[in-house]
Amino acid sequence: MLYFTDIVTRGYEADLTRRVPLPALFQYLEHLRWCSIIDPRSGLGSLVDVGYFFVVHQQRMVVRRAVGQDTPLRAYLWAEKVGRSSIDIGHEIRRLHDDAIVAEAHVTGLWLGPDRRLARIPDALREFAG
């Protein structure tokens, strides 16, 4: 399942070089992941309400092009591998006007229960991930 959201970079995110720095790109991906979690198709919203949640265990990003303020972007995610209590997620951030890749990322997330211990990923997410 491919999931995406559109983002427009903001002037206050730019650094002294007038470019959007790596931490802002990671924030875009975190926002995208949370949007996908609360999407009713994922089946996770009600579980998050009672204390289940994902945490990022590992992430890496390759930035292909710098972007400045007021740049329309589209951020994508897809499940690459769903384990018992972890999920590997692929990401791309692309410029909307020319579909050029801005950044590529791979994230491993861990599914924690209300007791803050690893929990089994629900079957609804496995089906959503395809």
Side-chain angles (χ1 to χ4, degrees):
M1 176 70 183
L2 184 67
Y3 194 87
F4 67 89
T5 192
D6 292 343
I7 299 161
V8 177
T9 62
R10 297 165 288 254
Y12 63 82
E13 295 169 330
D15 60 16
L16 294 174
T17 67
R18 302 181 71 180
R19 302 288 185 223
V20 174
L22 193 59
L25 297 175
F26 278 123
Q27 286 177 335
Y28 298 159
L29 298 183
E30 183 69 13
H31 171 74
L32 172 63
R33 287 190 296 273
W34 276 104
C35 287
S36 71
I37 287 170
I38 62 172
D39 185 305
R41 297 174 294 166
S42 75
L44 298 177
S46 61
L47 293 171
V48 170
D49 290 343
V50 296
Y52 287 86
F53 63 99
F54 273 107
V55 295
V56 172
H57 173 66
Q58 181 181 30
Q59 61 185 339
R60 60 187 165 90
M61 180 182 287
V62 176
V63 177
R64 302 284 182 203
R65 340 190 121 61
V67 292
Q69 67 186 37
D70 299 320
T71 303
L73 303 173
R74 179 166 286 163
Y76 297 90
L77 75 74
W78 59 91
E80 294 179 335
K81 178 183 170 190
V82 180
R84 184 185 180 286
S85 56
S86 68
I87 185 168
D88 292 337
I89 300 170
H91 286 288
E92 279 186 354
I93 299 174
R94 293 178 172 262
R95 284 192 311 226
L96 274 178
H97 75 274
D98 63 358
D99 203 37
I101 296 175
V102 171
E104 299 168 297
H106 295 277
V107 173
T108 300
L110 302 176
W111 183 240
L112 301 182
D115 60 357
R116 305 303 188 244
R117 293 176 172 232
L118 291 175
R120 186 178 187 285
I121 290 179
D123 291 335
L125 177 61
R126 293 173 195 285
E127 293 169 15
F128 181 65

